Amino acid sequence: MVRPSMLLALGALAVAAVACAPASETTAKASPSAPATCAKDQLTLKTPGKLTIGTDKPAYEPWFKDDDPANGKGFESAVAHAVAKQLGFDTGEVTWATVKFDSAFAPGAKQFDFDLNQVSVTPDRAKVVDFSKGYYTVKQAVVALDGSKVASATDLAALKDAKIGVQVGTTSLQAVKDVIKPAAEPNVYNEQIDAVNALKNKQVDAVVVDLPTAFYVTAAQVENSKIVGQFGATSGTPEVFGAVFEKGSPLVGCVNEAIDKLTSSGELAKIETEWLGSAAGAPELK
């Protein structure tokens, strides 16, 4: 989430919706290196012997499942538990703190050791909090109405003749131009909600938004819509989600080390495929 959360009603609850990332705000800041030892008994924690992880409530799918971060199900819950395991913590030694999205990266002391809540790493945020290395590189997604001419597309070539809606100044717009390269110029809108409304009104065949936003669009904004698929951008600085820490936290380097190990072993990619891939309704478009 690059911009501050958009509080939109979902039943009686408010959810922080993910805005498309402006292309100029996606530069990540390097995090501190790991300390000499990341032994469990040497870690500086909010509660000795316990790893406290923050996230918002409700905790929505596919990032979490059944509004229960502790169950290890959902992408960010699975990542959190994998990182905790790398740090030497059993499931029973991990506690979860409820932290509103905006509060996670606001200045000041934190009640968590780190927070996972689809927070994009940006230079402005990195002035007041520390970030881990990215644990997820945000991809773009195509959303269409069920039964539309592009709803059954299985590759990018099938989108060449589609009329595509997208928000101005976003990484999504750049991805449309660089990757899909539609025959007709996309319809460009000032706000993401305008693109969504154009889809509702069948003024466009599909909209392109970042994948986190696509999950929200299909779940809460546009009835009878689906994620046709997801794809990666080929240019620009990628938007990444990072774990959030209190500024100056000595734990950053150890979490970075854990993320490196999960990346090199392939476990992080497996978690992404399981929770954010075809099983979540977002197949890859090549």
Side-chain angles (χ1 to χ4, degrees):
M1 295 181 182
V2 167
R3 294 181 180 173
S5 59
M6 301 181 295
L7 299 180
L8 301 173
L10 183 59
L13 299 171
V15 56
V18 184
C20 297
S24 61
E25 294 184 7
T26 55
T27 303
K29 180 178 182 294
S31 299
S33 58
T37 177
C38 288
K40 178 181 172 183
D41 60 357
Q42 298 298 310
L43 299 177
T44 302
L45 304 170
K46 293 295 179 180
T47 302
K50 293 282 187 179
L51 183 65
T52 305
I53 305 174
T55 201
D56 207 346
K57 186 174 181 63
Y60 287 100
E61 297 186 21
W63 313 101
F64 300 91
K65 191 169 180 62
D66 301 326
D67 192 20
D68 180 14
N71 64 17
K73 298 178 180 179
F75 177 72
E76 289 190 315
S77 179
V79 169
H81 284 273
V83 168
K85 184 177 179 180
Q86 288 291 333
L87 295 174
F89 293 91
D90 296 328
T91 301
E93 296 173 311
V94 177
T95 60
W96 289 83
T98 299
V99 180
K100 287 298 180 185
F101 176 75
D102 292 342
S103 299
F105 50 85
K110 305 301 179 188
Q111 66 188 91
F112 51 77
D113 294 310
F114 63 85
D115 179 277
L116 294 182
N117 193 20
Q118 307 114 65
V119 180
S120 296
V121 180
T122 70
D124 282 347
R125 290 174 180 174
K127 292 175 183 177
V128 295
V129 294
D130 283 335
F131 284 98
S132 71
K133 293 181 177 181
Y135 60 86
Y136 172 65
T137 300
V138 177
K139 293 183 179 179
Q140 301 302 317
V142 180
V143 177
L145 296 176
D146 288 331
S148 73
K149 71 176 188 178
V150 299
S152 59
T154 57
D155 56 31
L156 292 169
L159 302 172
K160 293 290 186 182
D161 294 326
K163 193 64 177 176
I164 297 173
V166 66
Q167 185 182 356
V168 68
T170 61
T171 50
S172 299
L173 176 57
Q174 197 62 45
V176 170
K177 293 180 176 180
D178 291 349
V179 182
I180 297 178
K181 300 178 182 178
E185 285 294 313
N187 287 18
V188 181
Y189 300 90
N190 288 330
E191 302 292 338
Q192 184 241 327
I193 190 62
D194 296 329
V196 168
N197 286 334
L199 179 65
K200 285 182 180 179
N201 296 326
K202 300 183 179 180
Q203 295 167 335
V204 294
D205 299 315
V207 294
V208 173
V209 293
D210 57 65
L211 182 61
T213 298
F215 284 120
Y216 185 76
V217 170
T218 55
Q221 291 185 299
V222 183
E223 291 185 2
N224 300 316
S225 65
K226 63 174 289 187
I227 297 175
V228 177
Q230 61 177 301
F231 63 96
T234 59
S235 66
T237 304
E239 176 188 358
V240 297
F241 292 166
V244 184
F245 302 78
E246 186 175 310
K247 195 68 176 173
S249 170
L251 193 60
V252 179
C254 293
V255 171
N256 281 342
E257 189 176 275
I259 290 172
D260 283 342
K261 290 178 180 177
L262 293 171
T263 301
S264 61
S265 70
E267 185 173 353
L268 196 56
K270 286 177 61 177
I271 292 172
E272 180 179 336
T273 298
E274 179 178 1
W275 295 107
L276 301 180
S278 294
E284 291 279 347
L285 297 175
K286 302 290 187 182

